[in-house]
Each structure stands twice: as C-alpha cells, then as structure tokens.
Amino acid sequence: MSPTPFEAPETTEEEILAATYRSLTTHGYAELTIKKIGEEFDKSPSLVYHHYENKDDLVIACLTFMLDELERELSTMDVRDPDERLEEFLAWVFSGFGESSDDEFMSLLVDLRARACHDPRYREYFTRSDRVFHDHLVAILEAGIETGDFSGCEPDRVASMIVTMLIGLFVRSATTTDDAWFDGTRCEVEAYIDAIVRGQDQA
C-alpha cells in the first residue's frame, strides 16, 4: 500500500493527476481550481484545460487512478497467512488516525464522500472504493475459513460490517474535535472481529 501516490508519473496525464493531487491536498476541494492545478503542473497549464473540462473531472480522475493502483496492490498481496494479513490490513487502516497528514487526507475524503449525496460521479467512485476494500476482506476471510484460522462466518456480511464500521470511524474522526472515543471504539471493532471471525469467547 504505497504511502505516496504519483511518485514517478510516466505520462503527461499522470503528471496532471499528480498536480491535481498536490493542489487538492494543499488547498482542499472548496478552494481547488483548474488554475491552481495548472500552477502545480510543470508543463504548460493549457494542457490541463486540453485534457479536462472542470475540476471535478480532474478530482475523479485523480481518485480513480489512486484506487486503480491500490486495487492492483491489494490483488497481488499474499494471503497464505490470512490472520496475519487481516492484522496487517487493520494496522494499516488504524495507523492513519493521529497522523496529521493522514488526518487531513481523511478529512478531504470525507468532504468528497459528502458530495456523493448529490453528484453521481462521486457516488459511483465511493461505491467502487468501498467494494475494493470489501472484496479484499472477503478474500482474506475466505482464505482463513479454508485454512481453519477463522470460524465459519459469512465473509460477505462480515466484510460489509467491517467496512461500514471503518467508514464510521473516518467520518467521526474527520468531523469532530473529540478523539477520546477512538481507542475504545477500536477495541470494540477488534472485539467484533475476534468474536465473529476468530470465534473467540468474549465472556
């Protein structure tokens, strides 16, 4: 799971998307303009206008590129040790909380997710994004059931529940100033996984 997207853009289009990413994380969605993206672009800003009509086209293309890369990376990950893979996935997700740069990016994603209420392009993107994480979890759970590491849970339903809980964590973290709830909530998420996935008695 590469921590820095667009490290080495190979085409003009990727360079434009890299400029979009930098501008988006610097200015946020509300202050983002094609002009500001052009200022981040090393080549002629007119190329940005040539390839894209408006900032939402650029943002969606940028997010889609990042999701494509993440999906490829997730699809090639070894799940021969499903329990370890699940722990690594959860550790990666939870590691974003408390890191200022990651918190800012999570807030940005929550802001963009809210746009999905009114813009079908963003709704389509976040539907796919949720599905990528859901399917990755299903693959881990199915592998763990096959090896006997996990209990006979329903992978599709459990993956949906875990993704929904994690999205809730992101939204609350990005939209409140109180973080005292986080550690306890993380423990409850892990307790759910221990009970439902690993079949551990929580009594």
Side-chain angles (χ1 to χ4, degrees):
M1 301 177 190
S2 177
T4 308
F6 307 108
E7 283 185 305
E10 298 178 353
T11 65
T12 297
E13 184 174 2
E14 288 183 14
E15 290 176 357
I16 292 173
L17 297 182
T20 302
Y21 175 81
R22 291 193 300 271
S23 188
L24 185 60
T25 54
T26 299
H27 302 291
Y29 176 82
E31 301 299 322
L32 183 70
T33 63
I34 291 185
K35 181 177 183 295
K36 288 178 179 177
I37 294 171
E39 291 169 354
E40 287 280 351
F41 186 46
D42 293 334
K43 298 179 181 178
S44 171
S46 64
L47 287 172
V48 179
Y49 291 92
H50 177 73
H51 283 79
Y52 297 93
E53 292 185 3
N54 55 60
K55 75 174 186 179
D56 285 305
D57 287 345
L58 278 158
V59 172
I60 291 293
C62 177
L63 293 175
T64 300
F65 178 89
M66 294 169 63
L67 185 59
D68 288 344
E69 291 298 304
L70 178 60
E71 186 173 24
R72 276 193 288 271
E73 197 164 348
L74 290 176
S75 67
T76 59
M77 285 189 171
D78 187 1
V79 291
R80 283 182 297 178
D81 188 336
D83 195 57
E84 181 180 347
R85 181 83 282 278
L86 179 60
E87 283 299 310
E88 289 176 353
F89 174 79
L90 293 173
W92 172 69
V93 171
F94 287 127
S95 68
F97 293 92
E99 297 291 337
S100 58
S101 60
D102 289 333
D103 283 346
E104 290 173 3
F105 190 66
M106 281 194 292
S107 296
L108 174 62
L109 287 178
V110 170
D111 187 18
L112 296 175
R113 182 179 280 269
R115 297 190 62 77
C117 295
H118 309 288
D119 190 323
R121 293 172 298 176
Y122 286 96
R123 185 175 301 175
E124 182 179 349
Y125 167 79
F126 282 105
T127 298
R128 182 191 162 206
S129 174
D130 292 352
R131 175 58 59 179
V132 167
F133 289 106
H134 170 275
D135 290 349
H136 182 61
L137 283 168
V138 166
I140 293 173
L141 295 172
E142 288 179 342
I145 292 171
E146 184 175 342
T147 61
D149 291 307
F150 298 153
S151 66
C153 62
E154 293 287 341
D156 185 72
R157 291 163 54 183
V158 173
S160 293
M161 185 64 180
I162 294 173
V163 169
T164 301
M165 288 190 291
L166 295 178
I167 291 171
L169 287 173
F170 289 139
V171 173
R172 186 173 182 183
S173 178
T175 57
T176 63
T177 58
D178 174 26
D179 61 0
W181 55 270
F182 176 73
D183 288 338
T185 304
R186 174 176 178 169
C187 287
E188 289 304 309
V189 172
E190 292 173 339
Y192 168 83
I193 292 171
D194 285 342
I196 302 300
V197 175
R198 298 187 174 101
Q200 296 178 3
D201 186 359
Q202 300 298 303

